[in-house]
Amino acid sequence: MRTGSEPATARSPLRMRLWLSLWGMLWALFGLVAFSLAGRPGWAAACGVVLLLAILDLCVIRYRMRQGPHYQPGRDIPPYEPDRGDGRPRRAGPGPDSGWKNGGRAGPSSGRP
């Protein structure tokens, strides 16, 4: 059971981003053709750059959609242990400081300063 702060009905924005990228690609293609025919090479080049960015974005979106939902944890996956600053999560265990030697700090555990 997840206990994080994310909403239970969260949806991926990839499908909306796909449609917006397609819309931008169509307008950039239209602008490229229109400005090329009108003799405006600067504006045609700008529309060409936007078209290339939209195509690149479509490739990234397609890659992420093919990844599937494995990068988004479901309800049955518990949240990660919080980071305590030493790079390792603290675990509940016997002894003081949740079972970690030296209070969970990195370094020698001999107890000497």
Side-chain angles (χ1 to χ4, degrees):
M1 176 164 82
R2 298 216 26 105
T3 59
S5 62
E6 73 277 352
T9 58
R11 303 282 309 244
S12 172
L14 287 176
R15 203 168 298 278
M16 178 185 65
R17 191 170 145 197
L18 172 79
W19 288 110
L20 288 173
S21 186
L22 284 171
W23 183 253
M25 188 181 76
L26 290 175
W27 276 106
L29 183 62
F30 173 75
L32 177 67
V33 171
F35 285 122
S36 294
L37 293 176
R40 303 278 189 169
W43 285 103
C47 288
V49 170
V50 171
L51 180 64
L52 289 176
L53 288 174
I55 291 172
L56 178 68
D57 192 34
L58 281 173
C59 293
V60 171
I61 293 167
R62 184 175 167 206
Y63 171 75
R64 293 214 176 142
M65 287 179 98
R66 285 188 173 199
Q67 275 184 330
H70 72 275
Y71 62 92
Q72 296 177 353
R75 291 178 174 230
D76 56 340
I77 298 174
Y80 296 112
E81 291 285 330
D83 185 19
R84 303 293 185 202
D86 62 351
R88 299 179 294 182
R90 291 193 185 197
R91 299 181 188 134
D97 296 325
S98 300
W100 286 99
K101 293 180 181 178
N102 199 15
R105 293 183 300 273
S109 60
S110 63
R112 289 182 277 154

XYZ file of all heavy atoms in Angstrom:
866
model
N 0.846 -1.178 0.000
C 0.000 0.000 0.000
C 0.888 1.236 0.000
O 1.784 1.362 0.813
C -0.894 -0.013 1.232
C -1.726 1.227 1.348
S -3.087 1.080 2.472
C -2.343 1.360 4.021
N 0.659 2.132 -0.927
C 1.464 3.353 -1.006
C 0.946 4.372 -0.013
O -0.246 4.537 0.159
C 1.411 3.908 -2.416
C 1.998 2.919 -3.376
C 2.768 3.471 -4.507
N 3.399 4.734 -4.391
C 4.706 4.901 -4.222
N 5.479 3.878 -4.070
N 5.230 6.102 -4.198
N 1.874 5.049 0.609
C 1.490 6.072 1.579
C 2.123 7.412 1.239
O 2.220 8.276 2.082
C 1.919 5.661 2.994
O 3.339 5.476 2.994
C 1.216 4.395 3.435
N 2.597 7.561 0.001
C 3.235 8.803 -0.403
C 2.226 9.917 -0.600
O 1.020 9.774 -0.345
N 2.693 11.048 -1.064
C 1.816 12.204 -1.219
C 1.232 12.315 -2.625
O 0.543 13.271 -2.922
C 2.597 13.478 -0.893
O 3.668 13.612 -1.797
N 1.510 11.339 -3.504
C 0.963 11.422 -4.854
C -0.528 11.088 -4.851
O -0.985 10.293 -4.036
C 1.707 10.481 -5.804
C 1.401 9.017 -5.610
C 2.199 8.376 -4.497
O 3.103 9.006 -3.968
O 1.884 7.252 -4.151
N -1.289 11.688 -5.748
C -2.716 11.377 -5.786
C -2.961 9.958 -6.297
O -2.178 9.419 -7.079
C -3.298 12.408 -6.740
C -2.157 12.989 -7.462
C -0.924 12.739 -6.665
N -4.025 9.362 -5.845
C -4.343 7.984 -6.228
C -4.772 7.891 -7.685
O -4.693 6.831 -8.290
C -5.444 7.438 -5.324
N -5.199 8.980 -8.259
C -5.686 8.952 -9.642
C -4.735 9.660 -10.601
O -5.160 10.164 -11.631
C -7.066 9.619 -9.724
O -6.943 10.961 -9.248
C -8.080 8.863 -8.895
N -3.445 9.717 -10.273
C -2.483 10.409 -11.126
C -2.392 9.734 -12.486
O -2.434 8.516 -12.589
C -1.114 10.421 -10.458
N -2.315 10.540 -13.522
C -2.227 10.033 -14.896
C -0.946 10.559 -15.526
O -0.489 11.641 -15.215
C -3.430 10.510 -15.714
C -4.777 10.149 -15.171
C -5.147 8.707 -15.439
N -4.985 8.352 -16.818
C -5.960 8.003 -17.623
N -7.188 7.951 -17.182
N -5.723 7.685 -18.868
N -0.402 9.801 -16.447
C 0.798 10.217 -17.149
C 0.442 11.283 -18.187
O -0.535 11.136 -18.918
C 1.433 9.018 -17.836
O 2.484 9.433 -18.667
N 1.234 12.350 -18.298
C 0.947 13.393 -19.286
C 1.485 13.065 -20.676
O 1.470 13.919 -21.548
C 1.654 14.611 -18.707
C 2.809 14.044 -17.978
C 2.306 12.735 -17.397
N 1.953 11.835 -20.894
C 2.575 11.518 -22.175
C 1.596 11.581 -23.340
O 1.947 12.030 -24.427
C 3.227 10.136 -22.117
C 4.509 10.054 -21.301
C 4.997 8.620 -21.247
C 5.568 10.958 -21.870
N 0.359 11.139 -23.149
C -0.599 11.153 -24.255
C -0.958 12.596 -24.648
O -1.035 12.913 -25.829
C -1.857 10.367 -23.869
C -2.618 9.869 -25.064
C -3.684 8.870 -24.703
N -3.224 7.655 -24.083
C -2.741 6.593 -24.733
N -2.638 6.639 -26.023
N -2.368 5.518 -24.102
N -1.120 13.458 -23.662
C -1.393 14.865 -23.966
C -0.181 15.500 -24.652
O -0.319 16.252 -25.618
C -1.721 15.629 -22.694
C -1.973 17.105 -22.929
S -2.226 18.048 -21.429
C -0.646 17.918 -20.643
N 1.004 15.177 -24.181
C 2.224 15.704 -24.779
C 2.389 15.204 -26.218
O 2.880 15.929 -27.079
C 3.412 15.288 -23.917
C 4.686 15.965 -24.256
C 5.721 15.666 -23.207
N 7.025 15.553 -23.822
C 8.067 14.994 -23.263
N 7.973 14.463 -22.072
N 9.212 14.953 -23.882
N 1.954 13.971 -26.476
C 1.997 13.432 -27.829
C 1.128 14.258 -28.771
O 1.570 14.663 -29.853
C 1.533 11.977 -27.827
C 1.351 11.324 -29.185
C 2.697 10.913 -29.749
C 0.429 10.144 -29.081
N -0.107 14.544 -28.356
C -1.014 15.311 -29.212
C -0.538 16.748 -29.393
O -0.638 17.310 -30.486
C -2.437 15.276 -28.667
C -3.054 13.929 -28.858
C -3.351 13.017 -27.893
C -3.420 13.327 -30.105
N -3.868 11.887 -28.455
C -3.929 12.038 -29.814
C -3.353 13.728 -31.431
C -4.374 11.177 -30.799
C -3.811 12.853 -32.417
C -4.305 11.610 -32.095
N -0.008 17.354 -28.334
C 0.510 18.717 -28.471
C 1.731 18.756 -29.386
O 1.902 19.693 -30.172
C 0.857 19.292 -27.098
C -0.321 19.649 -26.207
C 0.165 20.045 -24.824
C -1.136 20.763 -26.828
N 2.560 17.741 -29.318
C 3.722 17.683 -30.186
C 3.313 17.475 -31.644
O 3.900 18.075 -32.555
C 4.652 16.565 -29.727
O 5.834 16.569 -30.455
N 2.310 16.639 -31.872
C 1.796 16.463 -33.239
C 1.212 17.763 -33.779
O 1.421 18.117 -34.944
C 0.743 15.354 -33.278
C 1.273 13.924 -33.218
C 0.130 12.942 -33.046
C 2.063 13.612 -34.473
N 0.465 18.465 -32.937
C -0.121 19.748 -33.339
C 0.978 20.756 -33.689
O 0.917 21.443 -34.707
C -1.004 20.267 -32.202
C -1.730 21.531 -32.494
C -1.451 22.762 -31.983
C -2.845 21.702 -33.370
N -2.330 23.677 -32.479
C -3.202 23.057 -33.337
C -3.573 20.841 -34.171
C -4.244 23.577 -34.067
C -4.616 21.368 -34.908
C -4.946 22.707 -34.848
N 2.005 20.820 -32.854
C 3.125 21.717 -33.134
C 3.880 21.325 -34.392
O 4.337 22.187 -35.154
N 4.008 20.019 -34.625
C 4.694 19.550 -35.817
C 3.927 19.957 -37.074
O 4.521 20.414 -38.058
C 4.865 18.035 -35.771
C 5.733 17.500 -36.884
S 5.914 15.737 -36.843
C 4.325 15.234 -37.473
N 2.612 19.811 -37.041
C 1.800 20.194 -38.204
C 1.906 21.687 -38.488
O 2.045 22.099 -39.647
C 0.347 19.778 -37.988
C 0.072 18.280 -38.027
C -1.374 17.989 -37.670
C 0.411 17.726 -39.395
N 1.828 22.528 -37.448
C 1.930 23.968 -37.649
C 3.320 24.370 -38.109
O 3.476 25.282 -38.933
C 1.550 24.725 -36.377
C 0.081 24.916 -36.270
C -0.768 24.265 -35.446
C -0.718 25.818 -37.048
N -2.059 24.702 -35.655
C -2.054 25.660 -36.636
C -0.450 26.735 -38.052
C -3.100 26.383 -37.187
C -1.496 27.466 -38.595
C -2.797 27.277 -38.162
N 4.354 23.720 -37.592
C 5.711 24.045 -38.019
C 5.934 23.635 -39.473
O 6.583 24.359 -40.238
C 6.727 23.347 -37.112
N 5.372 22.503 -39.869
C 5.478 22.072 -41.259
C 4.734 23.042 -42.183
O 5.245 23.431 -43.240
C 4.925 20.655 -41.412
C 5.037 20.028 -42.787
C 6.499 19.883 -43.191
C 4.339 18.679 -42.796
N 3.543 23.456 -41.760
C 2.779 24.439 -42.529
C 3.561 25.751 -42.647
O 3.650 26.340 -43.726
C 1.416 24.686 -41.865
C 0.645 25.805 -42.494
C 0.025 25.636 -43.720
C 0.549 27.035 -41.869
C -0.682 26.675 -44.312
C -0.145 28.076 -42.440
C -0.771 27.902 -43.671
N 4.138 26.206 -41.547
C 4.919 27.447 -41.576
C 6.159 27.325 -42.432
O 6.526 28.265 -43.152
N 6.807 26.173 -42.380
C 7.997 25.957 -43.205
C 7.663 26.062 -44.691
O 8.346 26.759 -45.451
C 8.598 24.583 -42.888
C 9.808 24.149 -43.704
C 11.004 25.038 -43.371
C 10.128 22.698 -43.422
N 6.592 25.400 -45.083
C 6.185 25.435 -46.488
C 5.726 26.842 -46.875
O 6.124 27.381 -47.922
C 5.079 24.385 -46.762
C 4.487 24.557 -48.149
C 5.627 22.985 -46.573
N 4.886 27.454 -46.055
C 4.344 28.780 -46.381
C 5.441 29.836 -46.468
O 5.459 30.645 -47.410
C 3.302 29.172 -45.334
N 6.369 29.844 -45.504
C 7.429 30.851 -45.532
C 8.442 30.569 -46.632
O 9.043 31.498 -47.178
C 8.123 30.951 -44.177
C 7.301 31.663 -43.136
C 6.959 31.042 -41.949
C 6.875 32.959 -43.341
C 6.211 31.691 -40.993
C 6.125 33.631 -42.388
C 5.794 32.993 -41.210
N 8.633 29.313 -46.986
C 9.525 28.998 -48.104
C 8.942 29.504 -49.423
O 9.656 30.068 -50.257
C 9.760 27.491 -48.205
O 10.461 27.042 -47.083
N 7.634 29.309 -49.603
C 6.976 29.790 -50.822
C 6.891 31.311 -50.867
O 6.893 31.909 -51.949
C 5.587 29.176 -50.944
C 5.538 27.658 -51.174
C 4.099 27.165 -51.179
C 6.241 27.298 -52.474
N 6.818 31.954 -49.686
C 6.711 33.414 -49.635
C 8.074 34.087 -49.732
O 8.148 35.320 -49.788
C 6.017 33.837 -48.344
N 9.145 33.320 -49.750
C 10.474 33.911 -49.870
C 11.022 34.475 -48.575
O 11.776 35.447 -48.591
N 10.653 33.921 -47.463
C 11.141 34.350 -46.149
C 12.034 33.248 -45.558
O 11.571 32.421 -44.766
C 9.983 34.603 -45.194
C 8.987 35.603 -45.647
C 9.500 36.971 -45.341
N 8.455 37.948 -45.579
C 8.563 39.172 -45.199
N 9.627 39.566 -44.559
N 7.617 40.034 -45.475
N 13.325 33.219 -45.925
C 14.170 32.108 -45.478
C 14.425 32.086 -43.971
O 14.589 31.015 -43.384
C 15.472 32.321 -46.253
C 15.484 33.750 -46.630
C 14.041 34.150 -46.789
N 14.457 33.250 -43.322
C 14.677 33.283 -41.868
C 13.540 32.624 -41.106
O 13.758 31.815 -40.190
N 12.325 32.999 -41.468
C 11.156 32.407 -40.806
C 11.007 30.933 -41.166
O 10.584 30.118 -40.340
C 9.885 33.163 -41.174
C 9.795 34.476 -40.466
C 10.034 35.708 -40.994
C 9.463 34.668 -39.090
N 9.871 36.668 -40.031
C 9.513 36.058 -38.850
C 9.140 33.829 -38.051
C 9.255 36.608 -37.606
C 8.870 34.379 -36.807
C 8.931 35.744 -36.594
N 11.362 30.573 -42.384
C 11.312 29.163 -42.790
C 12.314 28.345 -41.974
O 12.025 27.222 -41.553
C 11.590 29.032 -44.277
N 13.502 28.918 -41.746
C 14.505 28.218 -40.935
C 14.022 28.074 -39.487
O 14.228 27.014 -38.860
C 15.831 28.971 -40.975
N 13.371 29.104 -38.948
C 12.849 29.017 -37.581
C 11.775 27.930 -37.483
O 11.753 27.146 -36.523
C 12.278 30.366 -37.144
N 10.908 27.868 -38.474
C 9.886 26.809 -38.480
C 10.528 25.438 -38.655
O 10.057 24.445 -38.090
C 8.867 27.063 -39.593
S 7.764 28.436 -39.250
N 11.627 25.358 -39.417
C 12.342 24.096 -39.568
C 12.946 23.625 -38.255
O 12.917 22.431 -37.934
N 13.474 24.564 -37.465
C 14.021 24.209 -36.144
C 12.910 23.718 -35.220
O 13.072 22.718 -34.516
C 14.774 25.415 -35.532
C 15.127 25.172 -34.080
C 16.028 25.717 -36.332
N 11.773 24.405 -35.223
C 10.638 23.968 -34.401
C 10.149 22.595 -34.848
O 9.807 21.738 -34.031
C 9.505 25.019 -34.445
C 8.246 24.495 -33.781
C 9.945 26.312 -33.789
N 10.153 22.365 -36.155
C 9.746 21.058 -36.686
C 10.694 19.959 -36.208
O 10.252 18.887 -35.779
C 9.708 21.103 -38.215
C 9.312 19.813 -38.917
C 7.882 19.429 -38.579
C 9.487 19.966 -40.420
N 11.995 20.211 -36.245
C 12.960 19.219 -35.758
C 12.795 18.950 -34.264
O 12.882 17.798 -33.814
C 14.384 19.676 -36.058
C 14.802 19.641 -37.519
C 16.205 20.201 -37.684
C 14.727 18.225 -38.054
N 12.543 20.001 -33.482
C 12.317 19.811 -32.044
C 11.049 19.008 -31.780
O 11.014 18.159 -30.873
C 12.250 21.167 -31.337
C 13.577 21.905 -31.210
C 13.357 23.294 -30.621
C 14.552 21.112 -30.372
N 10.009 19.250 -32.558
C 8.763 18.502 -32.381
C 8.956 17.031 -32.745
O 8.444 16.136 -32.065
C 7.651 19.119 -33.224
N 9.736 16.761 -33.791
C 10.003 15.375 -34.171
C 10.845 14.683 -33.107
O 10.583 13.525 -32.744
C 10.683 15.329 -35.556
C 9.685 15.746 -36.626
C 11.235 13.944 -35.849
C 10.300 15.927 -37.995
N 11.830 15.386 -32.560
C 12.640 14.826 -31.474
C 11.777 14.534 -30.251
O 11.915 13.475 -29.610
C 13.773 15.782 -31.117
C 14.672 15.349 -29.972
C 15.483 14.129 -30.377
C 15.580 16.490 -29.562
N 10.881 15.451 -29.926
C 9.980 15.242 -28.798
C 9.072 14.038 -29.034
O 8.814 13.250 -28.124
C 9.152 16.498 -28.549
C 8.416 16.447 -27.220
O 8.957 15.869 -26.256
O 7.304 16.992 -27.141
N 8.592 13.871 -30.270
C 7.770 12.696 -30.586
C 8.549 11.397 -30.386
O 8.005 10.398 -29.900
C 7.259 12.777 -32.020
C 6.074 13.685 -32.251
C 5.794 13.805 -33.743
C 4.855 13.164 -31.540
N 9.824 11.403 -30.746
C 10.648 10.203 -30.549
C 10.817 9.890 -29.064
O 10.740 8.727 -28.656
C 12.005 10.385 -31.209
S 11.946 10.466 -33.003
N 11.050 10.919 -28.255
C 11.191 10.712 -26.808
C 9.875 10.208 -26.216
O 9.863 9.287 -25.392
C 11.649 12.015 -26.116
C 11.590 11.896 -24.608
C 13.055 12.367 -26.558
N 8.771 10.793 -26.621
C 7.462 10.374 -26.114
C 7.187 8.929 -26.501
O 6.734 8.130 -25.671
C 6.352 11.301 -26.652
C 6.498 12.695 -26.064
C 4.975 10.738 -26.337
C 5.666 13.733 -26.770
N 7.479 8.577 -27.726
C 7.255 7.207 -28.184
C 8.101 6.219 -27.379
O 7.625 5.152 -26.986
C 7.591 7.123 -29.667
C 7.316 5.797 -30.278
C 7.563 5.860 -31.763
N 7.594 4.524 -32.298
C 8.230 4.165 -33.379
N 8.901 5.064 -34.046
N 8.219 2.934 -33.792
N 9.360 6.581 -27.121
C 10.240 5.726 -26.322
C 9.680 5.526 -24.910
O 9.636 4.419 -24.399
C 11.640 6.345 -26.274
C 12.572 5.666 -25.313
C 13.131 4.435 -25.627
C 12.902 6.246 -24.096
C 13.986 3.808 -24.753
C 13.761 5.625 -23.225
C 14.297 4.402 -23.559
O 15.144 3.775 -22.677
N 9.254 6.611 -24.298
C 8.737 6.517 -22.920
C 7.417 5.769 -22.851
O 7.147 5.073 -21.886
C 8.593 7.907 -22.330
C 9.947 8.540 -22.141
C 9.983 9.415 -20.950
N 11.322 9.936 -20.758
C 11.581 11.160 -20.354
N 10.586 11.984 -20.132
N 12.814 11.548 -20.199
N 6.581 5.924 -23.881
C 5.318 5.184 -23.882
C 5.566 3.691 -24.059
O 4.860 2.868 -23.490
C 4.389 5.713 -24.976
C 3.813 7.063 -24.649
S 2.756 7.682 -25.943
C 1.172 7.228 -25.283
N 6.590 3.349 -24.839
C 6.918 1.933 -25.020
C 7.541 1.330 -23.776
O 7.535 0.115 -23.608
C 7.853 1.755 -26.203
C 7.128 1.904 -27.507
C 8.020 1.549 -28.637
N 7.233 1.552 -29.863
C 7.613 0.948 -30.953
N 8.755 0.311 -30.983
N 6.863 0.990 -32.024
N 8.118 2.141 -22.908
C 8.672 1.635 -21.657
C 7.588 1.011 -20.796
O 7.843 0.087 -20.057
C 9.334 2.756 -20.861
C 10.744 3.040 -21.245
C 11.343 4.091 -20.345
O 10.642 4.965 -19.831
N 12.637 4.017 -20.157
N 6.405 1.560 -20.889
C 5.298 1.042 -20.113
C 5.281 1.615 -18.708
O 6.054 2.491 -18.359
N 4.404 1.085 -17.869
C 4.238 1.648 -16.536
C 5.250 1.156 -15.514
O 5.081 1.379 -14.340
C 2.833 1.196 -16.153
C 2.657 -0.088 -16.873
C 3.394 0.074 -18.169
N 6.323 0.462 -15.921
C 7.240 -0.085 -14.931
C 8.013 0.975 -14.164
O 8.507 0.707 -13.083
C 8.222 -1.060 -15.582
C 9.255 -0.407 -16.427
N 9.027 -0.093 -17.744
C 10.511 -0.005 -16.153
C 10.113 0.467 -18.225
N 11.026 0.531 -17.293
N 8.112 2.187 -14.689
C 8.850 3.227 -13.976
C 7.950 4.001 -13.015
O 8.417 4.864 -12.307
C 9.519 4.183 -14.965
C 8.574 4.934 -15.854
C 8.097 6.184 -15.502
C 8.151 4.383 -17.049
C 7.230 6.858 -16.325
C 7.287 5.056 -17.868
C 6.847 6.298 -17.506
O 5.984 6.969 -18.319
N 6.658 3.676 -12.967
C 5.740 4.309 -12.038
C 5.234 3.238 -11.077
O 4.533 2.316 -11.492
C 4.558 4.922 -12.780
C 4.969 6.032 -13.705
C 3.798 6.579 -14.487
O 2.699 6.060 -14.434
N 4.038 7.637 -15.218
N 5.585 3.315 -9.798
C 5.163 2.272 -8.868
C 3.649 2.270 -8.669
O 2.999 3.302 -8.721
C 5.881 2.635 -7.573
C 6.245 4.060 -7.708
C 6.387 4.345 -9.165
N 3.109 1.091 -8.457
C 1.675 0.945 -8.237
C 1.309 1.032 -6.766
O 2.134 1.328 -5.908
N 0.057 0.757 -6.477
C -0.433 0.859 -5.103
C 0.165 -0.194 -4.187
O 0.263 -0.005 -2.989
C -1.944 0.729 -5.074
C -2.659 1.890 -5.671
C -4.149 1.647 -5.638
N -4.828 2.832 -6.092
C -5.821 3.390 -5.430
N -6.265 2.866 -4.328
N -6.389 4.482 -5.898
N 0.543 -1.357 -4.759
C 1.041 -2.441 -3.931
C 2.529 -2.321 -3.616
O 3.080 -3.126 -2.880
C 0.773 -3.791 -4.600
C 1.360 -3.865 -5.999
O 1.623 -2.807 -6.580
O 1.542 -4.989 -6.490
N 3.222 -1.304 -4.139
C 4.643 -1.111 -3.881
C 4.802 -0.063 -2.791
O 4.324 1.060 -2.929
C 5.374 -0.672 -5.160
C 5.239 -1.771 -6.212
C 6.836 -0.378 -4.868
C 5.790 -1.399 -7.551
N 5.473 -0.419 -1.697
C 5.618 0.552 -0.606
C 6.563 1.676 -1.002
O 7.404 1.512 -1.896
C 6.200 -0.280 0.533
C 6.868 -1.423 -0.126
C 6.089 -1.700 -1.372
N 6.464 2.829 -0.345
C 7.359 3.936 -0.670
C 8.784 3.611 -0.242
O 9.023 2.740 0.585
C 6.788 5.103 0.128
C 6.030 4.472 1.232
C 5.510 3.172 0.694
N 9.741 4.320 -0.823
C 11.138 4.121 -0.476
C 11.407 4.632 0.926
O 10.768 5.557 1.401
C 12.044 4.846 -1.463
C 11.956 4.316 -2.861
C 11.405 5.068 -3.866
C 12.426 3.051 -3.171
C 11.320 4.588 -5.161
C 12.341 2.557 -4.451
C 11.800 3.329 -5.439
O 11.719 2.851 -6.711
N 12.417 4.039 1.542
C 12.868 4.551 2.835
C 13.455 5.942 2.609
O 14.139 6.173 1.617
C 13.939 3.631 3.421
C 13.416 2.287 3.853
C 12.632 2.376 5.147
O 12.938 3.252 5.977
O 11.709 1.583 5.317
N 13.238 6.872 3.523
C 13.781 8.213 3.337
C 15.306 8.219 3.452
O 15.890 7.428 4.174
C 13.128 9.028 4.451
C 12.722 8.036 5.461
C 12.427 6.767 4.725
N 15.939 9.124 2.746
C 17.382 9.278 2.792
C 17.741 10.026 4.070
O 17.201 11.093 4.352
C 17.859 10.046 1.559
C 19.359 10.143 1.491
O 20.045 9.349 2.165
O 19.848 11.004 0.743
N 18.677 9.469 4.822
C 19.075 10.081 6.095
C 20.363 10.886 5.981
O 20.908 11.287 6.983
C 19.242 8.999 7.167
C 18.026 8.158 7.397
C 16.928 8.977 8.002
N 15.812 8.079 8.327
C 14.598 8.477 8.470
N 14.294 9.733 8.327
N 13.642 7.627 8.755
N 20.872 11.075 4.767
C 22.050 11.905 4.594
C 23.343 11.137 4.432
O 24.346 11.699 4.037
N 23.375 9.865 4.756
C 24.616 9.103 4.633
C 24.594 8.198 3.403
O 25.491 7.401 3.201
C 24.880 8.277 5.885
C 23.806 7.235 6.147
O 22.781 7.256 5.458
O 24.008 6.397 7.038
N 23.560 8.293 2.594
C 23.478 7.492 1.396
C 22.779 6.163 1.581
O 22.523 5.460 0.637
N 22.479 5.806 2.817
C 21.805 4.538 3.080
C 20.531 4.807 3.876
O 20.527 5.621 4.794
C 22.694 3.608 3.905
C 23.981 3.254 3.211
C 24.807 2.359 4.073
N 25.220 3.111 5.267
C 25.998 2.627 6.212
N 26.437 1.407 6.148
N 26.327 3.351 7.249
N 19.442 4.127 3.560
C 18.230 4.308 4.363
C 18.378 3.599 5.704
O 19.061 2.589 5.822
C 17.143 3.658 3.518
C 17.858 2.676 2.670
C 19.220 3.240 2.424
N 17.778 4.162 6.708
C 17.801 3.512 8.021
C 16.733 2.448 8.066
O 15.637 2.622 7.563
C 17.548 4.526 9.128
C 18.676 5.481 9.280
C 18.538 6.243 10.556
N 19.597 7.242 10.591
C 19.964 7.860 11.674
N 19.367 7.611 12.797
N 20.921 8.732 11.640
N 17.070 1.374 8.695
C 16.125 0.275 8.839
C 15.837 0.070 10.310
O 16.711 0.251 11.158
C 16.711 -1.002 8.251
C 16.999 -0.877 6.794
C 17.559 -2.171 6.258
N 17.993 -1.955 4.900
C 19.141 -2.356 4.423
N 19.967 -3.037 5.172
N 19.473 -2.115 3.185
N 14.621 -0.334 10.577
C 14.278 -0.644 11.962
C 15.003 -1.917 12.366
O 15.017 -2.902 11.642
C 12.779 -0.821 12.104
N 15.645 -1.900 13.494
C 16.383 -3.072 13.943
C 16.722 -2.954 15.414
O 16.354 -1.997 16.090
N 17.447 -3.916 15.931
C 17.795 -3.889 17.352
C 18.849 -2.825 17.635
O 19.635 -2.459 16.776
C 18.361 -5.283 17.594
C 18.905 -5.709 16.273
C 17.981 -5.102 15.258
N 18.843 -2.341 18.831
C 19.867 -1.416 19.281
C 19.500 0.030 19.036
O 18.503 0.344 18.413
N 20.337 0.916 19.570
C 20.087 2.343 19.365
C 20.343 2.736 17.917
O 21.072 2.073 17.186
C 21.094 3.017 20.302
C 22.196 2.025 20.451
C 21.536 0.669 20.367
N 19.760 3.823 17.520
C 19.915 4.355 16.156
C 19.486 3.356 15.101
O 20.114 3.211 14.064
C 21.352 4.802 15.893
C 21.768 5.953 16.775
O 20.896 6.798 17.064
O 22.942 5.987 17.171
N 18.433 2.618 15.353
C 17.824 1.689 14.402
C 18.774 0.593 13.922
O 18.692 0.135 12.811
C 17.274 2.441 13.189
O 16.304 3.355 13.602
N 19.718 0.208 14.744
C 20.560 -0.929 14.417
C 21.811 -0.611 13.648
O 22.616 -1.489 13.395
N 22.034 0.631 13.264
C 23.248 0.971 12.528
C 24.383 1.242 13.505
O 24.209 1.884 14.527
C 23.039 2.237 11.685
C 22.201 2.018 10.485
C 20.875 2.298 10.376
C 22.607 1.469 9.243
N 20.424 1.961 9.138
C 21.470 1.447 8.423
C 23.797 0.997 8.741
C 21.511 0.974 7.127
C 23.823 0.528 7.450
C 22.699 0.514 6.661
N 25.562 0.769 13.151
C 26.741 1.087 13.949
C 27.103 2.541 13.713
O 26.906 3.075 12.637
C 27.915 0.202 13.540
C 27.719 -1.244 13.862
C 28.930 -2.024 13.425
C 28.733 -3.486 13.716
N 29.883 -4.277 13.251
N 27.641 3.165 14.702
C 28.124 4.537 14.603
C 26.993 5.518 14.290
O 27.215 6.528 13.648
C 29.242 4.625 13.563
C 30.093 5.867 13.727
O 30.028 6.518 14.761
N 30.876 6.185 12.729
N 25.786 5.199 14.668
C 24.663 6.116 14.492
C 24.255 6.323 13.054
O 23.635 7.313 12.721
N 24.638 5.420 12.147
C 24.264 5.540 10.743
C 25.194 6.422 9.950
O 24.968 6.694 8.787
N 26.287 6.901 10.584
C 27.230 7.752 9.876
C 28.288 6.889 9.204
O 28.621 5.805 9.660
C 27.898 8.730 10.850
C 26.925 9.743 11.425
C 27.637 10.716 12.325
N 28.294 10.080 13.462
C 27.706 9.817 14.614
N 26.430 10.111 14.782
N 28.352 9.250 15.589
N 28.832 7.430 8.111
C 29.896 6.713 7.409
C 31.196 6.875 8.179
O 31.376 7.822 8.940
C 30.054 7.275 6.001
N 32.100 5.971 7.998
C 33.393 6.055 8.657
C 33.622 4.859 9.563
O 32.822 3.924 9.604
N 34.730 4.886 10.297
C 35.022 3.734 11.164
C 34.000 3.604 12.274
O 33.494 4.590 12.812
C 36.417 4.053 11.710
C 36.618 5.498 11.500
C 35.742 5.906 10.343
N 33.699 2.390 12.638
C 32.690 2.151 13.659
C 33.300 1.768 14.997
O 32.696 1.091 15.795
C 31.745 1.028 13.191
O 32.495 -0.156 12.972
N 34.531 2.213 15.267
C 35.194 1.832 16.504
C 34.672 2.632 17.685
O 34.909 2.268 18.837
C 36.700 2.031 16.374
O 36.993 3.402 16.171
N 33.979 3.726 17.438
C 33.436 4.533 18.530
C 34.373 5.621 18.977
O 34.062 6.400 19.849
N 35.608 5.665 18.436
C 36.558 6.721 18.796
C 36.315 7.967 17.959
O 35.941 7.841 16.779
C 37.989 6.247 18.550
C 38.405 5.211 19.555
C 39.824 4.808 19.324
N 39.824 3.807 18.264
C 40.828 3.581 17.460
N 41.929 4.280 17.565
N 40.763 2.652 16.540
N 36.516 9.166 18.519
C 36.326 10.383 17.730
C 37.382 10.624 16.706
O 38.378 10.115 16.586
C 36.320 11.503 18.764
C 36.845 10.947 20.030
C 36.786 9.451 19.907
